[in-house]
């Protein structure tokens, strides 16, 4: 995600869609970024992220108090936001 993202707007968007606490959303997004930063690029220079592995990674982080459904909803809402902004998309 090299494009500039307004994090306040993103957190507000996710909170509006999920009713999750802003602090939890920020935690989930930070752990997600750590996971993505550690992911390996393929031969085309792209990083493919398995959503189940990402969710498991986030839930395993110390201090994160949430459940799988909430984390998945936060990540789904983030992806909706990024797709609406034309920043990200899904690979078939």
């Amino acid at each position: 995600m090299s494009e500039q993202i307004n994090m306040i707007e993103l957190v507000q968007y996710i909170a509006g869609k999920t009713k999750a606490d802003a602090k939890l959303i920020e935690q989930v997004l930070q752990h997600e970024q750590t996971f993505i930063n550690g992911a390996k690029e393929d031969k085309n220079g792209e990083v493919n992220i398995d959503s189940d592995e990402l969710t498991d990674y986030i839930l395993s982080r110390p201090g994160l108090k949430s459940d799988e459904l909430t984390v998945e909803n936060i990540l789904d809402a983030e992806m909706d936001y990024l797709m609406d902004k034309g920043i990200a998309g899904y690979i078939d």
Side-chain angles (χ1 to χ4, degrees):
M1 275 188 270
S2 59
E3 292 84 354
Q4 189 70 344
I5 297 172
N6 182 331
M7 290 304 291
I8 295 170
E9 181 181 274
L10 173 60
V11 170
Q12 289 174 342
Y13 177 89
I14 294 170
K17 288 193 87 164
T18 65
K19 307 300 182 223
D21 178 69
K23 293 285 187 206
L24 174 62
I25 294 167
E26 290 170 0
Q27 275 187 302
V28 168
L29 296 178
Q30 287 172 349
H31 292 311
E32 175 194 30
Q33 193 60 52
T34 300
F35 182 85
I36 290 170
N37 288 345
K40 303 284 187 238
E41 293 181 355
D42 64 15
K43 63 182 179 193
N44 299 323
E46 295 178 355
V47 176
N48 294 315
I49 303 297
D50 180 280
S51 61
D52 292 332
E53 288 177 13
L54 174 59
T55 301
D56 290 344
Y57 173 83
I58 292 169
L59 289 169
S60 72
R61 300 297 89 198
L64 186 89
K65 303 223 183 308
S66 188
D67 58 82
E68 184 174 353
L69 183 60
T70 301
V71 169
E72 288 176 350
N73 287 340
I74 289 169
L75 295 173
D76 288 344
E78 177 198 23
M79 191 60 157
D80 290 345
Y81 174 88
L82 296 175
M83 287 174 41
D84 287 349
K85 297 290 184 181
I87 296 171
Y90 290 104
I91 297 174
D92 293 329

